[in-house]
Amino acid sequence: MSELRQNLITRDWVIIATDRAKRPDQFANTKKIPAFLPSHRPDCPFCVGNEEDGTVETCRLGDRTGWKVRAIGNKYPALSPTAERIRISSGIHRMMSGIGFHEVIVEHPRHDLTTALLTVEEVTDILFVYRHRYLEIRKYPHVETIVIFKNHGESAGTSLEHPHSQIAATPVVPSQFRSRIDAAVRYFDDTGECLFCRTLEDELAAGERVILESKHFVAFIPYAALSPFHIWVFPRRHSSSFDDITDPEITDLADTLKTVLAQLYYGLNNPDYNYSIRSVPIAEQATKYFHWYIAIIPRVSKQAGFELGSGMFINTALPEESAEFLRSIAIPGDRNFRPS
């Protein structure tokens, strides 16, 4: 019989469809991984040699001829830092100018790589740039929320193969952020505990949904995962905002993130996925009730009419079986393995 589980952090009820559940390996990407991608494409805007394409560079690791990671303004930004802050209300209609930031993090000079195939040191460089841009962007008074995210694969929303991620900063706090903060505040008021810290404590005690533990981070599939192989990466140390991360934690997170993405890459045949760093809004830098984390969502299933009509999720993968499957995946060589 199917069962309903509640995710206390998102407040969602999830149907764990045990009668319709698939084996974990049945979620593998059925598309063939291209046998060959060039390491450089002259027509790719992110490849070496195209740095002077008119986009504004905001950060660079390395020199002009040997860069490692670059942060640049999105050529087609959803939000612009040069816009004037305007807010208009007319009856029930409300409008605000699209002021904010929208940047691209070009993660590596090579065109043919993905995070799962980078070295730990290369992923560390990406995270350092994330933190640097987060710290800089938060200084602007019109910024309320900063979102760091990566789209990998066509069904995840990307149109360029070159490894990249994005940072967006909005002049409002999105309603999803508000609802999760409200849930966290209510839990803290009722119990005196951080809901995220308690979730981490319970997942470590159960163990069956934990994928990977490191000194500073734990990767697990939540008890009420919203979709198949939905993964959360929590810092062990209570911290509300991503930019509070320390240098040793960045190195450890790079190892953890690369390993989990490599488990997906080899276990599910390089599935499309999104990941995002969920951090507290700018005005609430340090709290006792919120705990930043990374959500990784493989695009191995689709929402249909029930999900869209009810707002509930149906998960056809048992979180415990999915975690066990990922723990069993062997990554070729060591964690710095890269195919030639």
Side-chain angles (χ1 to χ4, degrees):
M1 180 181 294
S2 296
E3 62 184 42
L4 273 71
R5 298 182 181 183
Q6 188 178 23
N7 188 316
L8 288 185
I9 289 176
T10 69
R11 302 299 298 172
D12 288 298
W13 281 97
V14 182
I15 298 175
I16 306 294
T18 52
D19 291 341
R20 298 166 57 184
K22 300 178 183 178
R23 296 192 313 272
D25 59 359
Q26 290 179 299
F27 289 94
N29 182 10
T30 56
K31 296 181 294 185
K32 287 187 177 181
I33 299 176
F36 173 78
L37 279 177
S39 60
H40 180 270
R41 283 187 55 172
D43 60 340
C44 172
F46 301 154
C47 276
V48 174
N50 293 329
E51 293 87 352
E52 307 299 330
D53 66 347
T55 53
V56 177
E57 183 176 280
T58 57
C59 179
R60 176 185 293 223
L61 286 186
D63 56 34
R64 298 195 66 80
T65 59
W67 58 268
K68 299 176 181 179
V69 183
R70 298 173 66 227
I72 59 176
N74 193 306
K75 200 167 186 177
Y76 306 101
L79 299 159
S80 172
T82 60
E84 183 181 355
R85 187 185 181 106
I86 300 173
R87 189 165 188 158
I88 299 173
S89 294
S90 177
I92 64 170
H93 303 291
R94 298 174 183 175
M95 184 277 287
M96 193 173 187
S97 55
I99 189 170
F101 287 80
H102 192 183
E103 298 183 359
V104 174
I105 309 300
V106 184
E107 299 174 343
H108 199 279
R110 278 181 56 171
H111 183 85
D112 58 337
L113 296 178
T114 183
T115 312
L117 303 180
L118 298 180
T119 66
V120 172
E121 290 74 18
E122 288 165 337
V123 180
T124 299
D125 288 339
I126 295 167
L127 295 176
F128 269 115
V129 172
Y130 284 175
R131 185 181 64 179
H132 173 75
R133 290 307 300 148
Y134 197 109
L135 285 165
E136 290 299 309
I137 291 171
R138 70 170 296 124
K139 295 176 183 177
Y140 287 78
H142 59 264
V143 168
E144 296 288 345
T145 309
I146 300 174
V147 183
I148 300 173
F149 63 97
K150 181 179 178 71
N151 305 329
H152 172 73
E154 185 177 357
S155 65
T158 191
S159 57
L160 289 171
E161 297 166 333
H162 198 114
H164 68 285
S165 43
Q166 299 180 61
I167 299 179
T170 66
V172 296
V173 178
S175 60
Q176 188 183 90
F177 278 68
R178 290 288 190 206
S179 63
R180 294 191 183 188
I181 289 171
D182 289 347
V185 168
R186 285 198 300 270
Y187 187 86
F188 184 82
D189 287 345
D190 290 343
T191 67
E193 293 183 302
C194 167
L195 175 56
F196 300 84
C197 290
R198 179 56 189 269
T199 297
L200 181 57
E201 179 184 336
D202 286 0
E203 290 294 351
L204 285 170
E208 57 188 342
R209 289 175 294 276
V210 174
I211 300 168
L212 177 67
E213 292 186 56
S214 68
K215 181 179 180 180
H216 297 290
F217 292 89
V218 179
F220 63 96
I221 295 179
Y223 169 75
L226 306 184
S227 57
F229 291 91
H230 192 131
I231 299 166
W232 284 350
V233 181
F234 276 23
R236 292 181 186 267
R237 177 174 68 91
H238 178 82
S239 174
S240 298
S241 186
F242 168 72
D243 60 323
D244 185 46
I245 191 170
T246 65
D247 289 0
E249 287 172 335
I250 282 183
T251 302
D252 192 47
L253 178 58
D255 197 356
T256 301
L257 184 60
K258 175 209 158 45
T259 302
V260 171
L261 293 178
Q263 289 169 317
L264 290 172
Y265 183 94
Y266 292 105
L268 296 181
N269 193 36
N270 189 23
D272 296 350
Y273 66 82
N274 303 96
Y275 74 59
S276 61
I277 299 177
R278 293 189 171 272
S279 188
V280 76
I282 298 302
E284 303 178 62
Q285 172 73 354
T287 74
K288 294 181 179 180
Y289 53 80
F290 196 87
H291 197 120
W292 76 266
Y293 65 99
I294 298 179
I296 305 171
I297 307 172
R299 295 300 181 180
V300 294
S301 64
K302 294 182 179 180
Q303 292 186 6
F306 175 80
E307 288 86 352
L308 296 174
S310 67
M312 292 180 67
F313 293 86
I314 298 177
N315 189 345
T316 55
L318 299 180
E320 295 77 15
E321 291 183 359
S322 300
E324 181 182 17
F325 173 77
L326 289 179
R327 288 196 302 267
S328 73
I329 298 302
I331 301 171
D334 60 24
R335 290 180 183 177
N336 284 324
F337 169 81
R338 176 182 292 163
S340 58

